[in-house]
Amino acid sequence: MAKVIVITSGKGGVGKTTTSAAVATALALRGHRTVVIDFDVGLRNLDLVMGCERRVVYDFVNVVQQEANLKQALIKDKKLDNLFILPASQTRDKDALTIDGVERVLNELKETFDYIVCDSPAGIEHGAHMALYFAEEAIVVTNPEVSSVRDSDRIIGILQSKSRIAEQGGTVKEHLLLTRYNPERVARGEMLSVTDVEEILAVPLLGVIPESEAVLKASNQGVPVVHDSDSDAGQAYEDAVARYLGEDRPHRFLERQKKGFLQRVFGG
Amino acid sequence: MSLMDLFRKEEPSTASVAKERLRVLVAHDRLRHNGPDYLPQLQQEILAVIRKYVHIDDQDVNVQLEHQGNTSVLELNVTLPEEAQD
Ligand SMILES: Nc1ncnc2c1ncn2[C@@H]1O[C@H](COP(=O)(O)OP(=O)(O)OP(=O)(O)O)[C@@H](O)[C@H]1O
Ligand SMILES: [Mg+2]
């Protein structure tokens, strides 16, 4: 049975699209048939992070409005046969998505896929509502910073009151993903710690993604960061998805990296 | 570093300031968005009644709603000004 996961945050620019690409790729690497949908109508970023921007012909809005069918709009990932991208439209207005239309597309996707990952736009308006409405689980992406934590709390409130599951009296399963974490700054008392954020939001922690140069490198190349399996961020995302699937993995990258002997000698 | 720096009282870290601000903000937001619609009005009227007797600011009345199982607890905190305390 297909599972619908929304990647959401309230605040913009915290790492939702990076996370959507990484999570979808990691799920597919583990053999699950996965599709990742860009709900950010008007902006369209996910295809860039996935590196498939030149293959976009039809988009999510075309399918919702029945101007194209799913087969025409789904883009197969460059590397993985079991991963597909449904890109957003760059031209349409934000209200082009409707509850009924989105539901019809999701139901059709559920016939083929194990996981449907929804990359939410920022904010709490129409687009964000569309992305979270049908979610069974939510990954709440948060940066260790006042406005981001506050907005995450707000979006959690909305998940538990305005999603379809909530309307039917159920609860959306939430996971906290703390991203752009800088252990050095936490140690100096300049940044909220994981424990601080967990205490305030009271949502189970799925993972901590360190602030990492590998993320920019990955998005420059259009290759999701989990493919960079030597990188800290790539490993942290891979850990988070393993945990999501029920594996017990200790949290890494929470402490200042102790520099090895060679690093101390040669710097870096 | 001067000798006095050694004795200087340590300031709270900016992270702990952030955490404290968040605690207040989030509690306030939750009440505003998840609490019953009458709460802001209730808070205003309580404020008006207290003001008949002592002078207090808007932020001196703090209303919190907590859910514990099947019951909801409305917690009301009023901070009185210094001179009114004795
Ligand atoms: N762990 C990280 N380390 C360093 N940079 C990061 C990290 N995560 C995200 N970024 C960078 O932050 C920027 C915003 O990321 P991203 O586009 O994923 O955020 P978003 O939440 O999807 O934004 P929007 O709200 O605009 O959709 C990008 O430039 C991305 O490369
Ligand atoms: Mg985005």
Side-chain angles (χ1 to χ4, degrees):
Chain A
M1 189 52 203
K3 187 142 265 172
V4 182
I5 312 168
V6 64
I7 315 291
T8 187
S9 71
K11 189 174 158 73
V14 298
K16 292 178 294 297
T17 300
T18 305
T19 299
S20 301
V23 165
T25 304
L27 285 168
L29 277 168
R30 288 169 158 264
H32 300 289
R33 285 165 300 178
T34 306
V35 58
V36 54
I37 308 178
D38 191 346
F39 274 79
D40 206 345
V41 174
L43 284 177
R44 212 180 100 182
N45 280 153
L46 181 68
D47 51 329
L48 298 176
V49 177
M50 298 295 299
C52 63
E53 69 277 8
R54 296 181 56 189
R55 289 189 286 144
V56 175
V57 181
Y58 293 105
D59 57 58
F60 187 28
V61 173
N62 291 139
V63 183
V64 164
Q65 302 199 336
Q66 296 181 293
E67 298 156 354
N69 60 38
L70 264 178
K71 242 203 203 99
Q72 294 172 297
L74 283 174
I75 303 173
K76 194 201 268 183
D77 183 63
K78 300 188 285 206
K79 300 193 184 209
L80 303 171
D81 286 345
N82 56 345
L83 176 59
F84 287 81
I85 298 107
L86 190 51
S89 158
Q90 216 165 10
T91 51
R92 302 301 187 91
D93 68 294
K94 291 190 162 45
D95 298 330
L97 300 177
T98 60
I99 291 272
D100 293 344
V102 172
E103 180 172 34
R104 192 177 46 77
V105 176
L106 290 181
N107 283 342
E108 202 178 327
L109 288 169
K110 281 182 183 174
E111 291 168 15
T112 327
F113 291 98
D114 303 320
Y115 289 99
I116 301 173
V117 178
C118 305
D119 180 16
S120 173
I124 52 175
E125 306 305 322
H126 184 74
H129 187 229
M130 289 297 127
L132 69 76
Y133 187 69
F134 294 101
E136 293 148 272
E137 305 208 13
I139 296 180
V140 180
V141 180
T142 308
N143 292 167
E145 175 255 322
V146 175
S147 59
S148 173
V149 177
R150 182 197 197 183
D151 287 359
S152 289
D153 192 69
R154 184 84 171 84
I155 208 78
I156 290 164
I158 291 173
L159 275 164
Q160 302 307 0
S161 61
K162 304 239 161 73
S163 62
R164 188 166 63 171
I165 287 188
E167 285 174 359
Q168 294 169 345
T171 41
V172 176
K173 188 167 179 199
E174 300 156 341
H175 308 268
L176 171 62
L177 189 74
L178 198 57
T179 67
R180 311 202 70 160
Y181 197 69
N182 185 329
E184 279 86 17
R185 305 199 70 184
V186 173
R188 288 200 296 267
E190 296 170 0
M191 186 181 261
L192 291 163
S193 70
V194 204
T195 347
D196 291 340
V197 179
E198 273 184 285
E199 254 179 66
I200 289 180
L201 294 179
V203 169
L205 182 69
L206 181 66
V208 178
I209 314 297
E211 170 79 28
S212 167
E213 287 166 19
V215 172
L216 180 59
K217 225 170 86 190
S219 80
N220 283 343
Q221 295 172 311
V223 178
V225 73
V226 279
H227 283 302
D228 185 356
S229 49
D230 291 332
S231 69
D232 49 359
Q235 291 173 13
Y237 272 118
E238 149 69 17
D239 278 359
V241 169
R243 263 180 229 118
Y244 176 82
L245 295 171
E247 260 179 58
D248 192 16
R249 293 222 183 157
H251 289 279
R252 299 190 271 171
F253 315 110
L254 302 186
E255 305 290 327
R256 240 179 301 198
Q257 298 290 88
K258 291 201 181 60
K259 288 198 172 169
F261 173 70
L262 289 178
Q263 265 177 305
R264 263 181 289 151
V265 172
F266 296 109
Chain B
M1 189 177 78
S2 79
L3 192 61
M4 281 314 287
D5 283 346
L6 287 175
F7 297 101
R8 207 174 47 191
K9 221 177 99 202
E10 223 178 278
E11 297 211 352
S13 71
T14 58
S16 57
V17 174
K19 189 178 182 186
E20 208 34 56
R21 289 174 63 210
L22 263 170
R23 248 195 244 290
V24 175
L25 261 177
V26 162
H28 189 261
D29 286 350
R30 283 180 188 168
L31 191 68
R32 195 153 48 97
H33 296 295
N34 313 332
D37 296 341
Y38 60 75
L39 269 180
Q41 177 88 25
L42 179 86
Q43 184 161 359
Q44 283 311 309
E45 287 179 24
I46 289 171
L47 208 59
V49 171
I50 296 173
R51 278 196 184 132
K52 285 193 196 167
Y53 306 96
V54 282
H55 177 80
I56 53 169
D57 284 330
D58 277 11
Q59 65 265 29
D60 292 336
V61 172
N62 183 12
V63 183
Q64 300 255 34
L65 191 70
E66 295 222 344
H67 301 283
Q68 296 164 345
N70 286 331
T71 54
S72 299
V73 177
L74 187 70
E75 191 184 304
L76 186 70
N77 274 302
V78 184
T79 315
L80 293 177
E82 292 283 324
E83 66 271 28
Q85 272 168 9
D86 40 29

